[in-house]
Amino acid sequence: MITYNKKSLENLRLLKQAKVWKEKQLFSEPTFDKIQGTYINDLYTPNFFIRVGLFLFTSILISASLGLITLITFSDSNADVGLTFRILIYAIITGFATEMVIKEKKFFRAGVDDALQYATVGLFITAITIFIDSLNRYNYYDEPYYNENDNIIQVLAIALPILIFFATRYVDRLITAMAFGVLIYLIFDLVSNSGPIGKAVCPFAICLTTFLIYQLVKRYAYAEKWIIWKDNFNIIELLCLLTLYLSVNYFIVRELNAVLNNDYSSAQIPLAWLFYVTTATIPLLYIYFGVTKKDRLQLQLGMLLITFAVFTFKYYFSLGHHEITITLAGVFMIGVAWVVNKLLKTPKIGLTVNKDDLENEFNLSDAEAVVIAETLGKGSAQQDNFEFGEGNFGGGGSGGRF
Amino acid sequence: MESFPMKTKKRSKIMSKTSFFSLFWEVKTILYLGVLLFSAGAGLIIYLNIDSIGHISIISLIGLACLACFYYTFRKSESFSFNEVISTSTWNDYILLLGCLLFLSLETYLQIQYTVFGTQFGTATLIPTLLFFLLAYRFDNKGVLSMAITGLAGWAGIAVTPREVFDGLDNFSDYSYIWTALALGCFLNSLVFGLQRINLKNHFAFIYLNFALHILFIAALAGLFSEVNHLLFILILFSIGGVYYFQARKLESYYFLLFIMIYLYIGITYIIFYLMFKAGAGLELAYFGFFYFIGSCALAVYLIKNHKSLLKI
């Protein structure tokens, strides 16, 4: 199912959490050593800057290699079908190289594997795009029928399962985000092109879809079984919340509506009051749920989206004086920061502004917690016969330094 | 799972210890953005209402706000130390920053309205620069230090620019910028060296070196591209690379290592292709290019992969 060693990825997750706990002195040193011994991480994940360097040079390497192959083998006798096969072969080459590099060198988010993965996915999708496009252009009956929109839909519909497959296989966050984007675009395109009713319900359709995906992810995705895809689900969660808001934001709905109707200036939309309400309240709801459910993602996204809500209202109902708005916003924000700071000097209702409490956060429904708590229980039961393993947490030099 | 008696106990222990949800970064971010928006908005209001408010009241208003910020910081902050000072208050850094930004607005205002410094733009840049350096060291503030170094670079740029540029004459050579930048980079490097001798705020070294790294390398590459003297600038490029390689090893900095490699790679690639073009290569150049990129990138990947032995960590 996935390219990486599943056990290693699981261990990586557990060790990450265990390290946080150790820093907060929930573990003693020997307990942590024991966890390191039990869950060995053999993956190579370097420092961020090293990853950037490796990614950069590997990307140039891939392009130069494929360029050289093209230069040697290219003849201009073959047309579109030949090009499709050529790119497909390149995709297979890079895909094979990805598997080799990951299996042999144990790279994980190390730049080299990222570059190869993106090359593979990109080439696959390019091949499909060219293939579908040539099919549509030179179709069987030689009719001059070519619909740009149909073409895009066909390409994306085939690209979606491929993206999902690679996102799962490579445990990659960017590919996951792309798959999500393609899905949302497909829904948007299909619904909004199905007559006037489709256009009208389009915001709600997308809103509902993202809400359902969000609920599914929240409810089922963080089980122990799916532990290695936790980052991917985090990304989906973020994108769901973001898309959910944007789909019912007044600015987006009004302007997209104008674009769909080919209007030059956007007119007032039906049900405007509803969109005013959603534009204003959803960010506040995110902040509220973020604080009460202790969900940092929702909280920060809510804070960000308030800016967008203010922009939306300023855009249509501006009194002109931007400088006063900016100054007042500044004063307001300093004020909010000051009040929150004052209120939470002594922690209240489980909230604090203390920096030391930052790393402590997790809820115990998390799969990591269950597994580690299990280990802890075992550890205290058989205190004397555990082995001090040679843990190499963090792989090759993932230090906090730069 | 229920068979482990320790589990529930541990769990409740973990629960009780970790039930707080910290809004530390959120509050900090709001505060920072608030400070930025407020100073920008205040500047805009003044700019737009310059006719109706009156200059003296504006100047006194900004001046007072600026003084209030500095006064607060002086009163509330920890005493000076040669080493790193960990601030106990979240506020001091931001109020100092606000004070510095207001000082800049005040100075700009005075210059535009009353041309206090006349055409001596150098002095106008140097005053906030010196003030920011002093404040950065007094209050151990890296943000203000970065502003000070930026000011210094700006001053260096103005100081060497011949007067003729402002007078619109055309006898001005571009290369003076390159030499200035190189001199500035060397100055920053020697400053770090000197300050480390007396152990004054050693944790500032990275900020100085970071500025100097980019200034030096970009200047050397600009010199290389401007085709003044290829050999000289190749030598300069490599000596900068060498110096920073030792710095990177000393600081165990992956960041420096990455940028040394990227800048050197650009320089070497440029010079090789320049020479190839000069020799009049045609289609061979395409083949050579692909082989060069494959070989060089494979080498670069190999070197970065083995960065641990490269940095001798």
Side-chain angles (χ1 to χ4, degrees):
Chain A
M1 183 77 161
I2 65 166
T3 317
Y4 300 100
N5 186 349
K6 217 170 162 179
K7 199 78 209 139
S8 303
L9 286 183
E10 281 171 8
N11 291 350
L12 184 72
R13 279 248 152 274
L14 296 174
L15 285 170
K16 223 181 203 166
Q17 191 66 55
K19 202 186 175 196
V20 172
W21 289 20
K22 192 199 79 172
E23 275 162 14
K24 294 293 139 198
Q25 272 134 20
L26 289 170
F27 289 166
S28 58
E29 199 66 46
T31 319
F32 181 67
D33 284 337
K34 179 181 152 280
I35 290 172
Q36 274 198 331
T38 321
Y39 301 108
I40 291 165
N41 166 35
D42 54 355
L43 297 167
Y44 174 79
T45 308
N47 174 285
F48 173 75
F49 295 107
I50 299 296
R51 185 182 178 190
V52 171
L54 287 173
F55 181 82
L56 192 71
F57 286 113
T58 313
S59 306
I60 306 176
L61 183 63
I62 296 167
S63 336
S65 310
L66 295 181
L68 184 66
I69 297 173
T70 314
L71 190 69
I72 293 169
T73 57
F74 195 75
S75 65
D76 44 14
S77 61
N78 47 14
D80 281 343
V81 179
L83 194 60
T84 306
F85 276 109
R86 174 181 290 278
I87 292 174
L88 207 58
I89 289 167
Y90 291 169
I92 289 165
I93 293 173
T94 51
F96 193 68
T98 318
E99 309 287 313
M100 289 295 291
V101 157
I102 290 169
K103 288 262 149 57
E104 296 292 315
K105 299 279 180 195
K106 305 257 180 213
F107 284 123
F108 176 63
R109 294 189 181 156
V112 177
D113 54 337
D114 300 305
L116 283 165
Q117 287 165 8
Y118 297 150
T120 311
V121 175
L123 287 167
F124 257 117
I125 302 230
T126 315
I128 289 163
T129 312
I130 295 173
F131 182 65
I132 301 280
D133 193 68
S134 64
L135 272 190
N136 280 336
R137 271 181 206 284
Y138 307 102
N139 60 16
Y140 202 72
Y141 304 103
D142 224 4
E143 284 167 29
Y145 168 76
Y146 179 74
N147 187 321
E148 188 67 47
N149 199 40
D150 284 357
N151 193 36
I152 292 176
I153 293 277
Q154 286 163 12
V155 169
L156 289 183
I158 299 176
L160 183 63
I162 292 179
L163 282 171
I164 293 174
F165 169 76
F166 279 118
T168 339
R169 184 162 178 79
Y170 294 151
V171 199
D172 188 273
R173 283 166 288 186
L174 184 67
I175 304 175
T176 313
M178 278 161 62
F180 184 83
V182 167
L183 175 70
I184 294 300
Y185 184 81
L186 274 176
I187 293 171
F188 167 75
D189 204 336
L190 289 175
V191 175
S192 67
N193 275 324
S194 55
I197 298 170
K199 245 179 228 169
V201 298
C202 193
F204 307 108
I206 292 177
C207 182
L208 199 67
T209 321
T210 48
F211 182 73
L212 285 178
I213 298 176
Y214 182 77
Q215 289 297 333
L216 280 176
V217 167
K218 268 288 183 201
R219 192 157 301 172
Y220 299 111
Y222 293 115
E224 200 182 321
K225 209 164 41 159
W226 311 113
I227 190 169
I228 50 178
W229 289 285
K230 196 183 165 193
D231 291 340
N232 304 42
F233 288 126
N234 272 332
I235 288 288
I236 294 179
E237 212 182 295
L238 169 75
L239 290 173
C240 275
L241 288 173
L242 186 69
T243 322
L244 194 155
Y245 176 67
L246 293 182
S247 66
V248 289
N249 175 283
Y250 179 73
F251 174 80
I252 303 273
V253 174
R254 180 165 165 173
E255 297 303 317
L256 266 184
N257 192 44
V259 170
L260 288 178
N261 290 330
N262 291 322
D263 292 340
Y264 284 112
S265 61
S266 62
Q268 177 65 298
I269 45 171
L271 281 177
W273 59 271
L274 181 64
F275 291 110
Y276 293 149
V277 172
T278 49
T279 303
T281 50
I282 289 182
L284 298 175
L285 279 177
Y286 281 0
I287 293 182
Y288 174 75
F289 285 123
V291 169
T292 51
K293 292 190 170 171
K294 303 192 173 173
D295 186 338
R296 195 164 291 282
L297 187 78
Q298 276 200 33
L299 174 64
Q300 289 176 347
L301 196 67
M303 282 165 57
L304 191 76
L305 291 178
I306 277 193
T307 335
F308 194 61
V310 169
F311 162 78
T312 303
F313 287 114
K314 277 294 280 183
Y315 188 82
Y316 295 105
F317 308 107
S318 177
L319 298 172
H321 294 288
H322 297 299
E323 72 278 5
I324 294 174
T325 318
I326 292 173
T327 318
L328 285 182
V331 171
F332 178 71
M333 285 162 84
I334 295 175
V336 166
W338 190 76
V339 167
V340 171
N341 212 15
K342 263 267 134 58
L343 274 179
L344 300 179
K345 203 104 230 181
T346 49
K348 283 188 190 67
I349 47 164
L351 297 173
T352 165
V353 283
N354 194 349
K355 194 179 179 183
D356 297 334
D357 287 318
L358 264 182
E359 298 275 323
N360 278 339
E361 287 144 18
F362 42 79
N363 39 38
L364 284 172
S365 63
D366 271 7
E368 289 99 326
V370 175
V371 180
I372 292 177
E374 209 176 324
T375 324
L376 275 176
K378 271 182 206 154
S380 35
Q382 355 169 312
Q383 197 62 259
D384 33 29
N385 62 347
F386 62 71
E387 294 157 19
F388 283 93
E390 226 189 296
N392 62 339
F393 170 72
S398 70
R401 284 181 310 246
F402 59 97
Chain B
M1 268 203 256
E2 289 305 312
S3 59
F4 303 119
M6 283 303 288
K7 213 190 108 202
T8 37
K9 226 165 135 190
K10 285 270 178 195
R11 263 202 167 196
S12 58
K13 186 184 154 200
I14 291 163
M15 279 284 241
S16 66
K17 255 202 158 183
T18 59
S19 53
F20 289 132
F21 183 66
S22 178
L23 302 175
F24 178 77
W25 285 117
E26 285 78 9
V27 170
K28 272 218 149 180
T29 313
I30 293 183
L31 187 56
Y32 181 68
L33 290 176
V35 165
L36 278 187
L37 282 180
F38 176 70
S39 52
L44 259 177
I45 287 181
I46 290 164
Y47 175 76
L48 291 171
N49 298 300
I50 213 153
D51 309 319
S52 52
I53 303 182
H55 301 304
I56 301 296
S57 47
I58 290 174
I59 288 169
S60 38
L61 208 65
I62 309 179
L64 275 178
C66 184
L67 276 179
C69 288
F70 289 146
Y71 177 76
Y72 181 90
T73 332
F74 266 101
R75 280 293 303 275
K76 291 283 173 120
S77 63
E78 283 80 12
S79 54
F80 177 76
S81 156
F82 266 50
N83 299 318
E84 188 165 2
V85 178
I86 309 292
S87 174
T88 45
S89 157
T90 2
W91 291 86
N92 289 350
D93 288 350
Y94 293 93
I95 289 175
L96 180 65
L97 193 67
L98 185 61
C100 290
L101 289 171
L102 285 174
F103 181 81
L104 275 183
S105 323
L106 182 67
E107 210 214 355
T108 319
Y109 192 86
L110 284 174
Q111 170 65 14
I112 290 174
Q113 195 55 45
Y114 299 110
T115 49
V116 183
F117 302 100
T119 48
Q120 296 194 308
F121 299 115
T123 327
T125 330
L126 204 55
I127 289 173
T129 304
L130 288 176
L131 179 73
F132 291 169
F133 266 118
L134 285 175
L135 289 173
Y137 273 89
R138 170 62 185 81
F139 298 115
D140 201 303
N141 191 315
K142 287 180 178 172
V144 177
L145 183 72
S146 301
M147 279 162 69
I149 299 174
T150 315
L152 184 69
W155 171 78
I158 292 167
V160 293
T161 310
R163 295 278 320 120
E164 291 81 57
V165 175
F166 294 110
D167 300 339
L169 295 176
D170 217 17
N171 57 354
F172 162 71
S173 103
D174 241 335
Y175 306 131
S176 64
Y177 276 117
I178 292 164
W179 297 113
T180 319
L182 287 175
L184 181 69
C186 292
F187 172 71
L188 288 176
N189 260 317
S190 44
L191 196 66
V192 169
F193 188 73
L195 290 173
Q196 277 181 339
R197 275 288 118 108
I198 57 169
N199 278 324
L200 176 58
K201 301 277 184 203
N202 279 337
H203 61 289
F204 279 178
F206 181 82
I207 296 178
Y208 282 113
L209 290 175
N210 183 27
F211 267 96
L213 170 93
H214 294 290
I215 291 173
L216 283 171
F217 268 119
I218 289 171
L221 284 181
L224 194 64
F225 296 158
S226 64
E227 307 191 353
V228 192
N229 186 337
H230 278 127
L231 191 64
L232 178 68
F233 277 103
I234 276 287
L235 280 177
I236 291 175
L237 196 67
F238 274 98
S239 36
I240 297 168
V243 168
Y244 269 91
Y245 170 61
F246 284 107
Q247 286 287 9
R249 258 172 59 174
K250 208 166 108 194
L251 294 171
E252 297 186 353
S253 170
Y254 303 119
Y255 174 81
F256 282 174
L257 189 73
L258 171 67
F259 276 99
I260 293 168
M261 293 203 78
I262 290 175
Y263 282 124
L264 279 183
Y265 189 79
I266 294 171
I268 294 169
T269 308
Y270 170 80
I271 205 72
I272 286 178
F273 277 87
Y274 177 82
L275 292 177
M276 290 291 287
F277 266 115
K278 209 131 199 229
L283 186 65
E284 312 91 75
L285 189 66
Y287 279 97
F288 169 78
F290 284 126
F291 278 116
Y292 167 77
F293 280 119
I294 291 171
S296 61
C297 285
L299 182 69
V301 166
Y302 175 79
L303 285 178
I304 297 177
K305 172 84 207 303
N306 294 312
H307 62 277
K308 285 207 160 171
S309 51
L310 216 59
L311 286 176
K312 300 227 164 54
I313 294 171

